[in-house]
Amino acid sequence: MEHTVGTTPPRAMTIAGTDSGGGAGIAADLRAFEACGVHGCVAVTAVTVQNSLGVTGVHPIPPETVAAQIETVAGDIGLDAVKTGMLASSAIIEAIAQACDRAGIGAAGRTPLVVDPVAASMHGDQLLADEALEAFRAVLFPRATLVTPNLDEVRLLVDVDVHDRAAQYAAAKALHGLGPRYVLVKGGHLREDTDGCVDLLYDGNTFTELPGPRFDTGNTHGGGDNMASAIASGLARGMLVPEAVAFGKRFIVEAVRHSYPLGAGHGPVSPLWAVRRWWEEPGTAL
């Protein structure tokens, strides 16, 4: 059979940890990349032992190995966008920042950097040591094109406890003061908001509210990973940051709408809605 060479799709990298249950981390990022039409590359920061009930083990990768993964891929394949997830330690964060500088990722480089500061569990518990939180603030945020914290991470990073829209605005200002070009304060954990789920984008001058429905489901594992990966995919495809964030918002709304139960705990959000047609409808051309 004759082989047809296709056009290389946009390329994005996730710098994050594994999830042995497949619902979050690198597994979620790669699924979202694929659903958004982007080729996914990886730099593994840690191997976790987890299922739908929680994490029972974290095994960090040596910082120099994390950095080498980034530079090796960037130097050969090239990257159109990069996003981070669980980074495990301040040493890994420092190594990532230096590798990104050398590869032209983030800050003034040509490759946008989306920082999803995974710092809190689904229950709001702190996952990182204080020194790693400080490394996020001082080292990675100033290099970020966009940071995408949830409200528990906002509390840990800038000590703003968000329980209403006014505090969400104040948190966005505080986070922007740490140096990223854009801040997206996600409203998924703002249960007091009866208007749905409103995310807030801020560029230092303009606030943009992104409203969406709130679904009555406990199956939200990997939601932050999927949204950040969809945004990174939009950036890799050449969208401006506000366009990419709006794209990511539409993507995650559908991913939560199509979430499913898995195991005895929290099931994952699902990017499969974007690719399901051909296997749900027999006879659909591939």
Side-chain angles (χ1 to χ4, degrees):
M1 179 181 295
E2 182 180 354
H3 175 66
T4 301
V5 177
T7 302
T8 301
R11 298 141 297 171
M13 170 175 274
T14 168
I15 306 172
T18 67
D19 172 1
S20 45
I26 279 176
D29 295 335
L30 290 177
R31 291 202 300 169
F33 286 161
E34 196 76 14
C36 294
V38 170
H39 175 83
C41 304
V42 304
V44 182
T45 61
V47 175
T48 72
V49 180
Q50 64 177 293
N51 55 23
S52 69
L53 297 172
V55 180
T56 57
V58 178
H59 304 276
I61 302 297
E64 62 273 18
T65 303
V66 178
Q69 293 174 85
I70 298 167
E71 293 184 74
T72 297
V73 172
D76 170 42
I77 295 171
L79 295 168
D80 298 303
V82 173
K83 63 87 61 179
T84 69
M86 196 269 283
L87 302 185
S89 71
S90 59
I92 288 176
I93 293 170
E94 293 275 359
I96 289 168
Q98 293 168 18
C100 284
D101 287 350
R102 291 190 291 267
I105 298 165
R110 74 166 193 86
T111 304
L113 175 64
V114 177
V115 174
D116 184 18
V118 179
S121 71
M122 291 189 67
H123 305 291
D125 298 323
Q126 183 171 331
L127 294 177
L128 296 176
D130 288 342
E131 64 178 14
L133 290 173
E134 181 55 30
F136 264 120
R137 298 184 196 100
V139 177
L140 215 50
F141 277 25
R143 290 171 165 82
T145 307
L146 171 72
V147 296
T148 63
N150 63 35
L151 298 186
D152 291 318
E153 289 154 353
V154 166
R155 174 176 47 81
L156 292 172
L157 289 162
V158 292
D159 197 27
V160 176
D161 203 358
V162 177
H163 289 289
D164 56 33
R165 195 68 54 75
Q168 192 176 15
Y169 275 69
K173 288 182 178 180
L175 287 159
H176 192 269
L178 296 176
R181 283 180 53 208
Y182 288 82
V183 172
L184 181 68
V185 179
K186 296 178 294 189
H189 293 182
L190 186 54
R191 296 293 176 183
E192 296 91 339
D193 193 341
T194 58
D195 294 330
C197 179
V198 179
D199 299 332
L200 183 66
L201 181 67
Y202 181 56
D203 65 359
N205 295 299
T206 303
F207 291 98
T208 303
E209 293 188 0
L210 295 100
R214 185 178 296 280
F215 298 101
D216 184 16
T217 177
N219 298 325
T220 56
H221 188 47
D225 301 326
N226 272 266
M227 187 175 191
S229 294
I231 293 169
S233 296
L235 294 172
R237 300 182 72 87
M239 296 179 188
L240 299 176
V241 173
E243 295 175 297
V245 171
F247 172 78
K249 178 69 173 185
R250 293 193 299 272
F251 183 90
I252 194 59
V253 165
E254 294 305 316
V256 177
R257 189 192 309 275
H258 291 87
S259 63
Y260 52 83
L262 191 70
H266 293 283
V269 303
S270 177
L272 298 178
W273 67 269
V275 295
R276 73 183 187 277
R277 183 168 178 263
W278 71 264
W279 51 262
E280 282 192 346
E281 299 179 17
T284 301
L286 298 183

